[in-house]
């Protein structure tokens, strides 16, 4: 659906060339919710604005639904952009126009008939939960309601792609949750491809299918959200994961085991087990107990969700002969669990 090939973006600042994006190669599949996360200045805003050519790349190709936008004439690009909606952090609504008129604005630019506009605006107001607010002005709405207007306006021309530029960072946590749910519902109902940028990992965890981590103008880590979340490879990714980690294992427990005499400690192994998807609710520990003479003691654990996928972590004490404990770890791994030996 969206392919970026060898995309680079340079800016000239005080006669010096500053590189914002370095050789970005990225493919976003049709119908997926793709997140781009990075710190301020990492290049994420530049990247998302390159997708609809609000920022023209210095080099490289931007292909959206089979069209290379970098090769289009200004009039062709204007037509192509109608299939790429965009919502912004600070809403960008027309303050002197009603909610109805804000949503109708792109439809009027497309020269739709009055009846078409009226039907479309009312359908969109219904979709975003603002059917009773058509005659109000932006100043009369809350931040979350303004963003819903922004979403409705972005959907006015039936785009195939929706770009979200820090769409929830100006909102409180409860409102953020409602906007993310709305975007998820829109993705499912309309089959819309959504690309969002954020500096908040909980946004990625809540709504995205895949994520790209950007740092210094480069994508440094890329993959399904669950995989990146449970097995971050880069230190910056680990930073973001720690933002939302509710797994705070008490280190003093490990210290207690370290103080055991060596012969006794040899029969006590402490491991961290990560599980994802269907294995979350399977009796895996019970199955291992049936096949090996070991005991499990759950020291710490959580179960949560990444989008629609359940995941969790357990810290287990495995008590038994060293060979049996090693076999228990192997059995857990063979059942699709990630096992890290802590002690």
């Amino acid at each position: 659906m969206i392919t970026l090939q060898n995309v680079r973006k340079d800016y000239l600042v005080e006669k010096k060339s500053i590189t914002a994006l370095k050789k970005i190669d990225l493919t976003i599949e049709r119908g997926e919710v793709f997140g781009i996360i990075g710190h301020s200045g990492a290049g994420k805003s530049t990247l998302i604005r390159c997708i609809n050519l609000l920022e023209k790349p210095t080099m490289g190709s931007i292909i959206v639904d089979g069209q290379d936008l970098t090769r289009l004439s200004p009039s062709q690009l204007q037509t192509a952009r109608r299939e790429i909606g965009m919502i912004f952090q600070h809403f960008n609504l027309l303050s002197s126009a009603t909610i109805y008129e804000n949503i109708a604005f792109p439809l009027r630019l497309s020269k739709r008939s009055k009846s078409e506009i009226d039907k479309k605006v009312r359908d969109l107001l219904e979709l975003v939960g603002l059917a009773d607010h058509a005659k109000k002005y932006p100043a009369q709405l809350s931040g979350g309601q303004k963003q819903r207007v922004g979403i409705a306006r972005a959907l006015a021309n039936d785009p195939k792609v929706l770009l979200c530029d820090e769409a929830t960072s100006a909102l409180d946590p409860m409102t953020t949750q409602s906007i993310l749910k709305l975007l998820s519902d829109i993705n499912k109902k309309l089959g819309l491809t959504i690309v969002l940028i954020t500096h908040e990992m909980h946004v990625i965890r809540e709504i995205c299918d895949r994520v790209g981590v950007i740092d210094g103008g480069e994508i440094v880590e890329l993959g399904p959200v669950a995989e990146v979340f449970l097995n971050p490879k880069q230190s910056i990714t680990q930073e973001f994961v720690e933002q939302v980690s509710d797994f705070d294992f008490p280190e003093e427990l490990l210290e207690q085991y370290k103080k055991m005499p060596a012969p006794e400690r040899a029969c006590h192994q402490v491991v961290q087990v990560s599980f994802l998807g269907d294995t979350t609710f399977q009796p895996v520990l019970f199955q291992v107990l049936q096949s090996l003479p070991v005991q499990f003691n759950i020291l710490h654990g959580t179960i949560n969700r990444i989008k629609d996928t359940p995941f969790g972590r357990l810290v287990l004490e495995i008590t038994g002969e060293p060979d049996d404990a090693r076999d228990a770890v192997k059995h857990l791994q063979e059942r699709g669990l990630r096992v890290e030996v802590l002690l």
Side-chain angles (χ1 to χ4, degrees):
M1 181 62 184
I2 301 171
T3 302
L4 281 68
Q5 297 175 340
N6 197 27
V7 170
R8 179 186 178 99
K9 178 61 181 179
D10 298 325
Y11 292 101
L12 196 61
V13 180
E14 295 180 356
K15 298 183 180 180
K16 292 178 67 176
S17 180
I18 304 295
T19 300
L21 297 176
K22 307 171 185 175
K23 199 179 182 302
I24 300 290
D25 289 300
L26 183 63
T27 297
I28 298 168
E29 302 296 336
R30 188 180 301 275
E32 79 172 328
V33 182
F34 187 89
I36 301 165
I37 190 167
H39 292 305
S40 296
K44 58 186 186 296
S45 289
T46 302
L47 177 54
I48 201 169
R49 289 167 67 87
C50 278
I51 293 176
N52 61 0
L53 256 65
L54 286 179
E55 295 282 359
K56 187 173 182 179
T58 306
M59 64 178 291
S61 300
I62 310 284
I63 301 166
V64 179
D65 201 24
Q67 283 193 105
D68 186 346
L69 302 189
T70 63
R71 296 179 179 274
L72 299 182
S73 69
S75 62
Q76 289 172 325
L77 180 59
Q78 186 176 6
T79 301
R81 279 183 178 147
R82 290 175 188 162
E83 297 193 339
I84 308 173
M86 190 165 189
I87 57 175
F88 304 88
Q89 177 181 357
H90 297 297
F91 322 127
N92 290 11
L93 301 181
L94 303 169
S95 60
S96 60
T98 64
I99 303 314
Y100 183 103
E101 290 300 326
N102 265 277
I103 300 170
F105 182 70
L107 294 166
R108 296 195 200 286
L109 291 179
S110 299
K111 299 184 177 172
R112 303 282 189 93
S113 69
K114 187 175 180 180
S115 60
E116 278 184 300
I117 291 172
D118 188 65
K119 184 180 187 312
K120 190 66 178 178
V121 171
R122 296 195 183 282
D123 286 347
L124 288 168
L125 284 167
E126 189 73 37
L127 177 67
V128 301
L130 295 176
D132 297 331
H133 295 71
K135 295 181 180 180
K136 291 183 179 178
Y137 289 85
Q140 297 173 282
L141 302 184
S142 67
Q145 289 171 327
K146 289 176 185 175
Q147 194 55 284
R148 286 171 182 267
V149 178
I151 292 170
R153 182 184 58 188
L155 297 177
N157 280 315
D158 298 314
K160 296 176 181 177
V161 175
L162 180 63
L163 306 180
C164 306
D165 187 358
E166 295 275 14
T168 60
S169 61
L171 306 175
D172 63 77
M174 188 174 293
T175 306
T176 291
Q177 198 68 18
S178 71
I179 293 297
L180 293 178
K181 184 180 184 308
L182 175 60
L183 289 173
S184 182
D185 289 345
I186 287 169
N187 167 253
K188 290 171 184 173
K189 286 177 185 174
L190 305 181
L192 203 61
T193 303
I194 297 179
V195 184
L196 62 86
I197 64 167
T198 183
H199 60 274
E200 299 170 308
M201 193 63 180
H202 76 91
V203 171
I204 300 292
R205 188 178 76 174
E206 186 70 26
I207 190 176
C208 295
D209 301 302
R210 289 193 303 138
V211 61
V213 182
I214 189 168
D215 187 37
E218 297 179 276
I219 300 291
V220 296
E221 192 155 354
L222 176 69
V225 172
E227 179 64 30
V228 171
F229 191 88
L230 290 178
N231 188 30
K233 292 181 173 60
Q234 303 293 327
S235 58
I236 186 171
T237 311
Q238 292 167 6
E239 271 183 52
F240 284 121
V241 168
E242 285 169 8
Q243 286 182 359
V244 292
S245 177
D246 49 10
F247 188 80
D248 190 14
F249 177 65
E251 291 295 328
E252 58 269 20
L253 279 176
L254 281 182
E255 293 303 318
Q256 291 177 21
Y257 284 97
K258 289 177 183 177
K259 291 175 183 176
M260 286 182 176
E264 183 182 352
R265 195 170 69 189
C267 296
H268 296 270
Q269 191 168 68
V270 180
V271 300
Q272 179 174 290
V273 180
S274 301
F275 43 92
L276 180 70
D278 294 341
T279 57
T280 304
F281 304 110
Q282 292 175 1
V284 176
L285 299 184
F286 178 71
Q287 291 166 359
V288 175
L289 288 174
Q290 284 187 312
S291 60
L292 289 169
V294 295
Q295 293 180 344
F296 289 132
N297 180 23
I298 297 175
L299 303 177
H300 193 68
T302 61
I303 294 178
N304 213 314
R305 284 187 174 269
I306 296 174
K307 199 173 182 182
D308 300 323
T309 305
F311 78 98
R313 290 193 184 100
L314 292 176
V315 174
L316 301 175
E317 174 195 16
I318 305 175
T319 304
E321 294 299 320
D323 286 346
D324 292 328
R326 280 192 289 271
D327 285 343
V329 169
K330 185 178 177 182
H331 277 52
L332 291 171
Q333 291 170 331
E334 287 172 349
R335 286 165 169 78
L337 305 181
R338 183 176 288 116
V339 183
E340 177 187 355
V341 177
L342 303 179
L343 191 68

